[in-house]
């Protein structure tokens, strides 16, 4: 019994003297290798999707002479890439993949069902082919990054969600966080979500801001293209052309009549002056209207930039709150460990000398009794 107690005391002293007691603050559960791969591949697919949509829309603009078709192609490019960046830059990797897949599936089904007159005229097949390729690539990406059972669940979820939630525009985005979690629970799967370590969260926030900033810059440039197209088909060109034609005819009449009737020539000159005055007024009105359109476009752009900036600030605040809450949740466990090691240290420091003294006293007493 004595040797067991001595061995326990020796082990406690040895452990107390080593560096096993370490203080660390939890930084959040890091993403698994599968989740990180899903996030990276999903966002990479978004950049490919945005580039393909932009190339297809530019091809439609270059091949079409109809102004309405060209404007519709540019608007499709803006809406599709805007919905794509909102879907791909979400924090939950599998939800981002599902939303991006839903976006491509809706776009494919809408383009396949709509007639040419509601799409891009003779160039509609270009958009249909691009949408079909993106839908196939999204399915192939999900099969690559997800486990077999998880892929089967997501394929069913995407099909049911698109069927139960149709939209008029094939490039409309969706946020399916709640729907995806409820779908998993209905199929006996409990969703586990990790925010990631501090480095992963900061990298995620940087990726989101970079994607949103790039999308904003592209949207501004493409909106300018639409404005230039609209200005090209403005009634100013037609009206100025009509006025110039009228002036040319008036000059022709003046040349013919002025040779014979000076009075008629004076009247024609007066009519010419009136037409020139009307032309100047028309040009002034058109220029004022164009500047007013620029002001409205600038106000709309300012509201859009303010909204995007506020959304990014809210996401940063939510992420910071989650990190602080994770650190606070780890404090009670840390305090409990510190108290446990403190009690063990006190037991070793106080109980060890006491047990040693008690044993030495017993030895001394037995030695004294033998001498007597």
């Amino acid at each position: 019994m004595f040797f067991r107690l001595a061995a326990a005391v020796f082990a406690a002293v040895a452990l107390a003297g080593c560096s096993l007691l370490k203080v660390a603050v939890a930084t959040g559960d890091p993403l698994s290798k599968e989740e990180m791969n899903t996030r990276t591949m999903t966002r990479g697919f978004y950049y490919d999707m945005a580039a393909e949509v932009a190339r297809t829309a530019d091809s439609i603009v270059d091949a079409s002479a109809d102004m309405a078709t060209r404007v519709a192609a540019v608007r499709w490019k803006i809406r599709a890439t805007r919905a794509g960046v909102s879907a791909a830059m979400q924090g939950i990797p599998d939800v981002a993949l599902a939303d991006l897949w839903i976006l491509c599936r809706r776009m494919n089904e809408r383009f396949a069902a709509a007639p040419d007159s509601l799409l891009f005229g003779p160039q509609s097949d270009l958009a249909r082919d691009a949408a079909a390729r993106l839908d196939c690539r999204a399915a192939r990406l999900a099969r690559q990054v997800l486990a077999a059972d998880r892929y089967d669940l997501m394929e069913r979820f995407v099909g049911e969600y698109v069927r139960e939630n149709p939209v008029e525009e094939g490039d409309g985005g969706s946020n399916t966080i709640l729907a995806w979690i409820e779908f998993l629970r209905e199929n006996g799967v409990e969703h586990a979500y990790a925010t990631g370590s501090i480095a992963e969260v900061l990298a995620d926030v940087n990726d989101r801001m970079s994607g949103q900033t790039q999308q904003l810059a592209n949207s501004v440039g493409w909106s300018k293209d639409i404005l230039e197209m609209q200005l090209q088909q403005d009634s100013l060109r037609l009206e100025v052309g009509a006025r110039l034609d009228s002036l040319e005819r008036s000059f022709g009449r003046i040349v013919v009549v002025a040779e014979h009737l000076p009075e008629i020539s004076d009247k024609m000159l007066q009519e010419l002056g009136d037409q020139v005055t009307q032309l100047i007024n028309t040009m002034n009105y058109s220029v004022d209207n164009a500047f007013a359109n620029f002001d409205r476009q600038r106000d709309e752009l300012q509201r859009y930039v303010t909204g995007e900036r506020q959304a990014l600030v809210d996401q940063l605040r939510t992420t910071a709150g989650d990190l602080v809450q994770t650190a606070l949740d780890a404090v009670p466990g840390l305090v409990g460990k510190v108290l446990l090691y403190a009690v063990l240290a006190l037991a070793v420091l106080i109980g060890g000398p006491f047990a040693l003294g008690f044993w030495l006293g017993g030895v001394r007493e037995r030695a004294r009794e033998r001498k007597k």
Side-chain angles (χ1 to χ4, degrees):
M1 182 67 182
F2 168 75
F3 289 102
R4 293 180 181 177
L5 179 61
V9 171
F10 179 79
V13 172
L15 291 175
C18 69
S19 59
L20 292 178
L21 180 60
K22 296 182 180 180
V23 178
V25 178
T27 59
D29 297 330
L31 295 176
S32 64
K33 181 179 179 181
E34 292 76 12
E35 290 176 323
M36 182 58 68
N37 185 43
T38 301
R39 170 178 290 178
T40 303
M41 296 295 288
T42 299
R43 294 183 178 179
F45 172 68
Y46 155 70
Y47 290 116
D48 290 345
M49 184 209 78
E52 183 159 358
V53 169
R55 286 194 301 269
T56 305
D58 293 340
S59 299
I60 294 174
V61 171
D62 294 338
S64 177
D66 180 61
M67 189 63 61
T69 300
R70 300 171 66 190
V71 172
V74 176
R75 287 176 177 170
W76 168 52
K77 177 169 58 174
I78 294 174
R79 288 195 299 264
T81 54
R82 183 183 301 167
V85 74
S86 299
M89 298 301 168
Q90 296 185 78
I92 305 177
D94 49 357
V95 174
L97 176 58
D99 286 358
L100 202 58
W101 193 356
I102 289 172
L103 172 64
C104 296
R105 177 66 57 81
R106 280 176 168 170
M107 188 162 51
N108 184 23
E109 292 184 355
R110 175 177 174 265
F111 285 1
D116 293 350
S117 59
L118 296 180
L119 293 178
F120 310 108
Q123 287 75 36
S124 298
D125 288 339
L126 297 176
R128 292 192 183 98
D129 294 340
R133 286 194 301 270
L134 292 175
D135 190 10
C136 293
R137 288 189 58 186
R140 186 167 59 252
L141 173 64
R143 188 180 296 106
Q144 291 174 354
V145 301
L146 298 176
D149 54 347
R150 196 77 161 189
Y151 169 76
D152 294 337
L153 289 175
M154 183 170 290
E155 185 180 26
R156 285 174 46 203
F157 172 75
V158 170
E160 293 176 3
Y161 191 88
V162 172
R163 185 168 54 255
E164 295 174 359
N165 299 273
V167 292
E168 293 184 359
E169 293 293 337
D171 46 16
S174 299
N175 190 301
T176 62
I177 295 178
L178 182 59
W180 172 243
I181 294 176
E182 291 179 349
F183 178 81
L184 291 179
R185 288 177 178 174
E186 291 173 358
N187 288 272
V189 179
E190 189 64 29
H191 185 271
Y193 170 58
T195 58
S197 63
I198 292 180
E200 290 172 343
V201 171
L202 293 178
D204 178 40
V205 172
N206 180 67
D207 200 7
R208 292 187 191 181
M209 295 184 66
S210 176
Q212 294 284 359
T213 302
Q214 182 179 355
Q215 169 59 28
L216 177 59
N218 292 337
S219 297
V220 172
W222 295 335
S223 299
K224 182 181 72 68
D225 294 339
I226 293 178
L227 182 60
E228 291 177 353
M229 293 178 187
Q230 292 175 343
L231 288 177
Q232 289 178 1
Q233 69 169 1
D234 194 275
S235 59
L236 173 63
R237 294 177 56 193
L238 299 177
E239 190 164 354
V240 170
R243 295 293 181 183
L244 292 176
D245 292 339
S246 178
L247 286 175
E248 183 180 3
R249 291 192 297 270
S250 297
F251 275 117
R253 291 197 300 269
I254 290 174
V255 171
V256 174
V257 175
E259 297 176 355
H260 306 283
L261 298 174
E263 296 83 0
I264 297 179
S265 177
D266 294 339
K267 186 175 182 180
M268 293 298 296
L269 288 175
Q270 182 179 359
E271 180 183 354
L272 177 61
D274 294 339
Q275 291 185 1
V276 171
T277 301
Q278 292 178 4
L279 175 62
I280 294 174
N281 293 334
T282 300
M283 295 180 64
N284 290 335
Y285 173 77
S286 299
V287 171
D288 293 339
N289 189 31
F291 279 107
N293 288 331
F294 275 116
D295 292 337
R296 286 195 295 269
Q297 293 286 340
R298 183 187 60 189
D299 294 339
E300 293 178 0
L301 178 60
Q302 183 63 39
R303 286 194 296 270
Y304 173 75
V305 171
T306 302
E308 293 294 332
R309 185 187 298 116
Q310 185 63 37
L312 290 176
V313 171
D314 293 341
Q315 291 178 358
L316 290 175
R317 289 178 177 173
T318 302
T319 303
D322 293 339
L323 292 175
V324 173
Q325 187 63 39
T326 302
L328 292 177
D329 292 341
V331 170
L334 178 62
V335 173
K337 291 181 181 179
V338 172
L339 292 177
L340 175 60
Y341 286 113
V343 170
L344 291 176
L346 290 176
V348 171
L349 295 177
I350 297 175
F354 176 77
L356 181 62
F358 182 78
W359 176 70
L360 292 175
V363 172
R364 183 177 182 184
E365 185 64 25
R366 286 193 296 272
R368 183 181 300 172
E369 290 178 357
R370 284 195 299 269
K371 288 180 181 182
K372 290 181 181 181

